[in-house]
Amino acid sequence: LIYSQLAARQPLTTIAELVNRYICSKNIEKYATMCILRIAPSGLLEYINCGHVPPFLYCDGCTRLTESNLPVGLIEGAPFQSGSLQLHSGSRVLIVTDGVTEAQLPDGEFYGEEPLTQPAMAAASLDDICTQIQNICGSIAADDDCTLLDIRYLGQT
C-alpha cells in the first residue's frame, strides 16, 4: 500500500491517512509507527512521522525532525501533518527504532536519545553506533528490535 502510493507521488499525508484508514477498518486493535522520507534530487526532504522516534538530522550539529503524528491505526480519522526542509550536501538523517533508544543498560536505565545527539555521531557509522550500544548495554538481551537507517544526501550529481 505504501509503495504504490509513493510510486503514484501521493502526498505523504494522504499516504498516512490511507494506511490509518486501512488498519482501522480491519478492527484488529493494532497500530503501527512509521516514518516516511522522500528526498528530491535538489535535497528537498519531505517527511511524515507517525508515532516513531523523531529522526536525527546531522548538518552543522544535530537537530530533530520534530513534526510528529499519532501512530497509524490508533484512531480512525486522525489528522496527519508532514514536514519539509532543505538538505545540504553532506547532510545525514538517522532513523532508529525505539528498541535502540530503549535498550536497557545494566543499571536499569535506557540508552536514550541523548547519546545520538552528540557531535561524534555525525561521523559515526552504523557499526560504530551498534558497537557503542552493545558495549554500554553489555550482555543484557534486547527487549525489542534495534533497527537503524542511515540516509546521506550527497548533493545533486
Side-chain angles (χ1 to χ4, degrees):
L1 175 64
I2 294 171
Y3 175 80
S4 65
Q5 296 302 309
L6 284 169
R9 307 290 303 154
Q10 290 296 314
L12 299 182
T13 53
T14 300
I15 296 171
E17 290 165 359
L18 288 170
V19 172
N20 187 62
R21 188 176 318 127
Y22 177 78
I23 294 172
C24 287
S25 73
K26 296 300 178 186
N27 293 319
I28 55 175
E29 298 183 12
K30 300 270 185 188
Y31 63 88
T33 66
M34 70 177 191
C35 188
I36 302 173
L37 279 68
R38 184 182 325 194
I39 304 173
S42 66
L44 177 64
L45 167 70
E46 298 174 81
Y47 70 95
I48 192 159
N49 182 356
C50 300
H52 205 68
V53 175
F56 299 85
L57 172 64
Y58 303 97
C59 180
D60 299 323
C62 180
T63 57
R64 306 297 290 279
L65 302 183
T66 56
E67 188 69 51
S68 188
N69 300 278
L70 292 171
V72 290
L74 189 62
I75 298 175
E76 189 171 353
F80 293 93
Q81 296 288 324
S82 62
S84 65
L85 58 102
Q86 183 64 46
L87 296 176
H88 303 286
S89 182
S91 296
R92 175 187 193 187
V93 178
L94 179 67
I95 301 175
V96 302
T97 60
D98 59 357
V100 172
T101 58
E102 295 174 2
Q104 191 170 1
L105 308 179
D107 65 2
E109 295 293 319
F110 292 136
Y111 178 74
E113 298 179 11
E114 193 275 330
L116 296 170
T117 66
Q118 297 305 306
M121 288 298 160
S125 70
L126 293 181
D127 285 339
D128 293 338
I129 297 169
C130 289
T131 298
Q132 180 190 54
I133 294 167
Q134 288 174 343
N135 289 342
I136 292 173
C137 294
S139 62
I140 298 174
D143 289 339
D144 201 351
D145 71 292
C146 292
T147 304
L148 300 95
L149 178 64
D150 187 9
I151 300 117
R152 296 178 191 241
Y153 177 69
L154 303 178
Q156 290 185 330
T157 56

